[in-house]
Amino acid sequence: MQLPAWRPGRYELQNFAQKLRGVTASANGESIDIAKETKDRWLVQAAGAETVEVNYSFYARQMDGGGSWLDEQQLYLNGINCFMAVEGRELEACELKLAIREDWQIACGLSEKTKHTLVAANFDELVDSPFIASATLKKATYEVDGIPFHIWIQGDCKPGWQQITQDFEAFTKEQLEVFGNFPVADYHYLNQILSYRYYHGVEHSNSTVITLGPGELLMQPSLYKEFLGVSSHELFHTWNIKKIRPKEMLPYNFAHENYFRTGYVAEGITTYYGDYMLARAGVFTAEQYFEELNTTLQRYFADYSRHNLSVADSSFDLWLDGYKPGIPDRKASIYVKGALTALLLDLQLRKATDNNASLDTLMRQLWENFGKRNIGYTEQDYEQLVESVAGQSFKTYFENYINGTAPIEEPLDRALGYVGCNLKATESPLLYEQLYGFKTVADNQGLKISAIAPGSPASQALSIDDELVALNGRKLEQNLQPLLSETDTSESITLTLFRDKQLREVRLQHNGQSFYQKYTIEKRPEASEEEKQNFKLWLKQGF
């Protein structure tokens, strides 16, 4: 029996077996041998018994999109965390009987055979169908093209159902327009609305789990836009990764790593489309959409890792350190750089084909050629399809921006020019970032160094987690920027700090370079009528 070591949607080993306790087996009312062969694989000596019962407890105390949780109010379970596969019988049908309170309702993508008994066609469907069981679930349903979409909410909040269903219906229609049809018969948004700040989503074949909070802000603009963004992102995954899947992951092997280099397709393109669909559907204004794009740009340009590891190599290394900070400046984010390279590709395809093709065309063909036919795509398949859609070579794009680390600023600025926009660079308003190349974060212990730009004055003298206490002898009390603005920065400055609980002084001298520039996408006032028309074809909104 094999327990999964990881879950789709998060490409790192999570070793769920560490949350199991007391694994035993019995047959015909008597104990039988069960021995552990690896960290998450057991051998059961069935001795010819027709029915074998395996018992164990699982610690369900992880409240996020990929975890499980049990308390007096609900049972929330991701089966991938705790269901074992019987080796060689993964394709057989499964039945899941839940011993829960009679008045509890179940929100799940699986069908309910009888009350509180769910059925799955195979093990993959079983572990790809999380559920929430509770007496306090809220629900609304909307339909697009005859397909029911169910929005489930668990948690303390007051959803504005009319606004929610209207906006969800709009972006769902836009996504269906891209692909032409939907891979599954129905869809379930399982929302855990929490009492504290949180943001996470995980895709499944006909459902998603989203954890978001705080609940009292759900319908406020700041949190509601995140609710829309993550929901649109996860819905797009129904095609892109659940069906349009890299060859290395078809089928999933849950026992060990499934290395792949196309995370920029699976996650990057999906990240791009998540907010892009909201703009095209009219849920976001162009200005609101640009705000989200600008946030992505800030995340990208604040990280000097972009110079060191390509987005394709970073995808392969997800299994190594993809979901934790890791060492400074090592790897790019497949979500962030993947979204920007998707934007670049979309605009370049539009320009190359005089708006006769776009990233929509590419995604539709990936769906028709691979997703619908249950064939995994390779890096080469994807590159060839891009060139087929473009009608010309895209070798430079893949060599420089997917498999290489060439700066993206100039090509992105040129591509944006096609739709009457440009990429604007401005100096960081924070002098310690701009002149000396370091970022800070304030916590209970004081002001600490959180990032250092390579080649900056700070890189010669400071370390991550240094605790700054004084500038030129003056105590720092949330006043670093005001003090620097009154300092002659042509002269060196002296920072007093604690490192490893030892007091030190370092001197920094501005070297004439600028660090941590800010980038934004803006409309050009002098955009031509043709460029404005291109903008409208791209965003479905007037310039």
Side-chain angles (χ1 to χ4, degrees):
M1 302 188 73
Q2 177 72 53
L3 182 74
W6 64 282
R7 62 169 180 78
R10 191 173 184 93
Y11 306 106
E12 66 175 359
L13 294 180
Q14 293 185 269
N15 295 318
F16 301 121
Q18 61 192 305
K19 295 187 177 182
L20 266 56
R21 188 176 63 196
V23 181
T24 62
S26 62
N28 302 317
E30 295 184 0
S31 295
I32 57 175
D33 287 342
I34 180 168
K36 205 170 190 182
E37 294 197 320
T38 70
K39 67 182 187 303
D40 46 28
R41 176 184 168 92
W42 289 260
L43 180 64
V44 183
Q45 301 291 347
E50 290 187 6
T51 301
V52 171
E53 185 174 298
V54 178
N55 287 281
Y56 51 91
S57 63
F58 169 74
Y59 188 64
R61 195 75 180 178
Q62 180 181 328
M63 180 51 78
D64 61 27
S68 298
W69 184 272
L70 174 66
D71 61 22
E72 65 280 1
Q73 293 183 318
Q74 65 167 315
L75 168 61
Y76 158 49
L77 194 68
N78 267 282
I80 195 86
N81 296 169
C82 60
F83 293 155
M84 295 183 186
V86 181
E87 188 175 272
R89 299 182 64 177
E90 294 92 344
L91 299 181
E92 296 180 21
C94 305
E95 192 172 276
L96 177 62
K97 296 181 180 179
L98 299 176
I100 55 177
R101 282 173 36 182
E102 186 68 20
D103 63 333
W104 281 17
Q105 193 177 6
I106 300 174
C108 185
L110 295 176
S111 58
E112 208 167 347
K113 178 182 176 182
T114 57
K115 189 173 178 64
H116 296 170
T117 298
L118 305 172
V119 288
N122 49 50
F123 180 76
D124 186 81
E125 184 176 89
L126 177 70
V127 297
D128 197 31
S129 302
F131 67 83
I132 302 171
S134 166
T136 54
L137 280 162
K138 307 178 184 78
K139 180 188 177 185
T141 298
Y142 65 95
E143 281 195 10
V144 176
D145 293 349
I147 303 159
F149 294 81
H150 308 285
I151 306 171
W152 299 87
I153 288 182
Q154 173 67 26
D156 187 14
C157 64
K158 293 181 179 178
W161 285 121
Q162 183 176 351
Q163 184 70 50
I164 291 171
T165 53
Q166 175 183 311
D167 292 340
F168 274 55
E169 185 177 335
F171 73 68
T172 302
K173 282 181 178 176
E174 196 64 35
Q175 294 195 21
L176 280 164
E177 191 176 297
V178 172
F179 292 101
N181 45 50
F182 200 52
V184 289
D186 62 356
Y187 192 82
H188 300 258
Y189 301 90
L190 310 182
N191 295 286
Q192 291 278 7
I193 305 300
L194 309 174
S195 58
Y196 47 88
R197 173 72 186 158
Y198 209 79
Y199 176 94
H200 191 211
V202 177
E203 69 274 7
H204 299 280
S205 118
N206 74 329
S207 66
T208 176
V209 177
I210 292 166
T211 46
L212 197 67
E216 64 270 18
L217 299 181
L218 179 63
M219 300 308 297
Q220 297 300 309
S222 59
L223 190 60
Y224 185 61
K225 72 175 183 179
E226 293 189 359
F227 182 41
L228 292 171
V230 68
S231 299
S232 177
H233 176 108
E234 301 304 340
L235 181 64
F236 198 86
H237 269 314
T238 314
W239 292 274
N240 192 26
I241 198 58
K242 297 314 298 183
K243 293 295 184 183
I244 304 168
R245 196 181 299 179
K247 186 176 182 178
E248 298 90 337
M249 292 190 182
L250 198 64
Y252 292 127
N253 185 322
F254 296 124
H256 56 71
E257 298 93 337
N258 293 203
Y259 293 104
F260 71 126
R261 288 172 50 84
T262 50
Y264 56 91
V265 179
E267 292 294 350
I269 287 179
T270 303
T271 299
Y272 168 59
Y273 267 103
D275 290 328
Y276 177 43
M277 290 288 94
L278 295 174
R280 277 186 19 183
V283 177
F284 279 0
T285 63
E287 290 69 27
Q288 287 173 317
Y289 175 54
F290 280 11
E291 283 180 16
E292 300 307 309
L293 272 182
N294 291 340
T295 298
T296 302
L297 287 167
Q298 297 323 312
R299 290 177 64 192
Y300 178 69
F301 286 106
D303 187 355
Y304 283 81
S305 305
R306 64 186 185 274
H307 299 301
N308 296 320
L309 200 64
S310 73
V311 70
D313 288 333
S314 295
S315 174
F316 193 88
D317 272 9
L318 284 172
W319 296 95
L320 179 63
D321 61 352
Y323 298 91
K324 56 188 177 185
I327 67 168
D329 312 313
R330 197 187 88 80
K331 64 182 184 298
S333 164
I334 65 166
Y335 298 85
V336 174
K337 186 171 184 179
L340 293 179
T341 52
L343 168 62
L344 176 62
L345 179 60
D346 192 11
L347 296 176
Q348 287 185 339
L349 286 173
R350 289 171 184 273
K351 185 176 183 179
T353 64
D354 195 23
N355 287 315
N356 288 310
S358 67
L359 197 55
D360 286 6
T361 316
L362 178 66
M363 295 312 297
R364 174 80 74 106
Q365 291 195 15
L366 279 170
W367 168 231
E368 296 290 342
N369 297 350
F370 296 95
K372 265 189 180 180
R373 297 165 62 192
N374 202 35
I375 299 172
Y377 66 88
T378 65
E379 281 184 280
Q380 294 72 31
D381 291 329
Y382 179 71
E383 291 180 25
Q384 289 169 8
L385 196 54
V386 168
E387 296 193 343
S388 171
V389 169
Q392 64 186 58
S393 171
F394 259 64
K395 183 179 179 181
T396 299
Y397 170 82
F398 283 100
E399 283 186 349
N400 289 350
Y401 315 117
I402 299 301
N403 298 310
T405 57
I408 201 174
E409 295 94 303
E410 186 180 334
L412 186 55
D413 183 51
R414 286 200 309 269
L416 287 164
Y418 184 67
V419 292
C421 299
N422 62 6
L423 187 65
K424 182 180 179 183
T426 56
E427 302 296 346
S428 170
L430 300 174
L431 293 175
Y432 51 89
E433 291 185 2
Q434 178 194 140
L435 302 179
Y436 305 108
F438 67 89
K439 288 179 170 286
T440 65
V441 62
D443 63 16
N444 293 334
Q445 295 179 337
L447 190 67
K448 289 188 174 181
I449 302 293
S450 59
I452 298 172
S456 66
S459 68
Q460 307 301 312
L462 296 176
S463 295
I464 299 293
D465 290 333
D466 281 351
E467 183 184 345
L468 304 181
V469 293
L471 169 66
N472 293 337
R474 173 70 181 273
K475 184 179 180 182
L476 292 176
E477 298 172 300
Q478 299 181 340
N479 57 351
L480 178 57
Q481 172 70 6
L483 287 177
L484 276 175
S485 65
E486 296 176 359
T487 299
D488 181 3
T489 54
S490 65
E491 302 290 333
S492 64
I493 62 169
T494 301
L495 285 172
T496 307
L497 56 90
F498 279 108
R499 182 182 300 162
D500 300 328
K501 297 190 181 298
Q502 292 188 338
L503 193 65
R504 302 184 181 212
E505 275 192 356
V506 300
R507 298 179 71 82
L508 300 181
Q509 176 70 55
H510 175 44
N511 63 8
Q513 297 182 54
S514 176
F515 304 93
Y516 294 117
Q517 286 184 307
K518 307 295 182 183
Y519 287 84
T520 53
I521 294 174
E522 298 181 355
K523 296 177 183 176
R524 292 199 336 270
E526 70 279 11
S528 68
E529 288 305 314
E530 183 181 358
E531 289 167 345
K532 291 178 180 179
Q533 182 60 27
N534 294 339
F535 180 93
K536 189 172 184 180
L537 290 170
W538 169 54
L539 218 55
K540 291 192 175 181
Q541 295 192 28
F543 190 82

